[in-house]
């Protein structure tokens, strides 16, 4: 069962985002980026209080994703990308992105904190960061 309301257009939009942000990290990396995106839609905290839809999340500015901010959000959504997007929309979560609201690709080691959120782990090139449960209970 879906954890956020969505249309087929939303699935394609999320699929394009996860491909643009994490294609180099494979399917699991793209699923984790999808987790972060869906967490931002369900969160009602921090920078995501006014983010209520997949479209809001994908195009949030400031505070959004580099793919949409820096111009590499141009690839079409492939069927595999759409299948991955449906999985996270339906509530599948993957550690270390389970409760994360942020990720980024550092040149070196993951910092302990980023934007005041604690590092939950790294998967390939991306480090993931989650708020505490008291800061943002909706993502737990």
């Amino acid at each position: 069962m879906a954890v956020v309301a969505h249309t087929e257009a939303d699935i394609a939009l999320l699929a394009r985002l996860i491909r643009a942000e994490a294609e180099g990290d494979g399917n699991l990396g793209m699923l984790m980026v999808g987790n972060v995106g869906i967490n931002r839609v369900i969160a009602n905290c921090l920078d995501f209080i006014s983010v209520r839809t997949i479209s809001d999340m994908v195009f949030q500015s400031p505070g959004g994703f580099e793919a949409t901010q820096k111009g590499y959000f141009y690839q079409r959504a492939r069927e595999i990308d759409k299948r991955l997007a449906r999985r996270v929309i339906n509530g599948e979560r993957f550690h270390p992105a389970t409760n994360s609201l942020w990720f980024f690709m550092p040149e070196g080691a993951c910092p302990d904190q980023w934007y005041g959120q604690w590092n939950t782990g790294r998967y390939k090139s991306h480090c993931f960061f989650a708020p505490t449960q008291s800061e943002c209970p909706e993502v737990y």
Side-chain angles (χ1 to χ4, degrees), residues 47 60-64 69:
D47 295 338
Q60 181 185 8
S61 183
Q69 306 281 319

Side-chain angles (χ1 to χ4, degrees), residues 3-4 14 17-18 21-22 27-43 48 54 57 65 84-103 120 123 128-131 138-139:
V3 294
V4 297
L14 180 58
L17 178 73
I18 64 177
E21 289 284 351
N27 289 351
L28 185 55
M30 290 191 291
L31 286 164
M32 290 180 192
V33 165
N35 283 155
V36 170
I38 294 303
N39 286 345
R40 289 180 178 191
V41 175
I42 63 175
F48 311 105
I54 290 173
M57 175 268 297
F65 294 94
L84 298 173
R86 284 185 184 94
R87 289 176 65 182
V88 295
I89 287 171
N90 286 327
E92 287 188 52
R93 291 181 172 200
F94 302 89
H95 181 77
T98 306
N99 309 106
S100 296
L101 291 174
W102 298 97
F103 65 88
T120 57
Y123 182 76
F128 293 87
F129 300 85
E138 295 86 2
V139 299

Side-chain angles (χ1 to χ4, degrees), residues 106-119:
E107 291 187 19
C110 298
D112 290 338
Q113 278 192 315
W114 198 54
Y115 287 94
Q117 295 182 34
W118 290 99
N119 177 271

Side-chain angles (χ1 to χ4, degrees), residues 10 13 16 73 86 115:
D10 292 325
L13 192 60
R16 286 178 57 208
F73 183 67
R86 284 185 184 94
Y115 287 94

